[in-house]
Amino acid sequence: MNSSLSKRESNRQRWFQLIQDWQTSGLSQRAFCEAHQLGLASFQRWRRIFMSEAQETSEPPVGFLPVKVV
């Protein structure tokens, strides 16, 4: 079972690196996936996973402040 976890973590790290590579590539998601022989749906799924995790760990957004017009 240990090897299963390390394989899963290895896959996760691979996708994380691919997403980072895409962000700096200047390519569309579709073009990047075609160039790297990746499934677009899988790419988008992993991107959503990482974006969701990043939002969970970030601070809550700043709220609105009341404004008094004189």
Side-chain angles (χ1 to χ4, degrees):
M1 186 139 184
N2 242 354
S3 64
S4 172
L5 292 176
S6 64
K7 183 177 180 182
R8 184 176 294 156
E9 184 58 32
S10 174
N11 189 44
R12 181 181 180 78
Q13 289 175 356
R14 174 181 168 262
W15 277 105
F16 186 80
Q17 185 61 52
L18 285 166
I19 301 296
Q20 286 185 324
D21 292 347
W22 163 72
Q23 289 175 327
T24 60
S25 72
L27 297 173
S28 69
Q29 290 179 18
R30 183 176 305 279
F32 184 85
C33 288
E34 287 174 1
H36 291 83
Q37 299 178 332
L38 302 169
L40 180 60
S42 294
F43 179 89
Q44 291 173 334
R45 177 181 169 272
W46 278 103
R47 183 173 173 264
R48 278 192 306 273
I49 289 170
F50 294 129
M51 287 177 58
S52 149
E53 290 173 355
Q55 288 176 350
E56 289 174 6
T57 60
S58 66
E59 293 182 24
V62 176
F64 290 99
L65 297 175
V67 176
K68 184 175 181 181
V69 179
V70 181

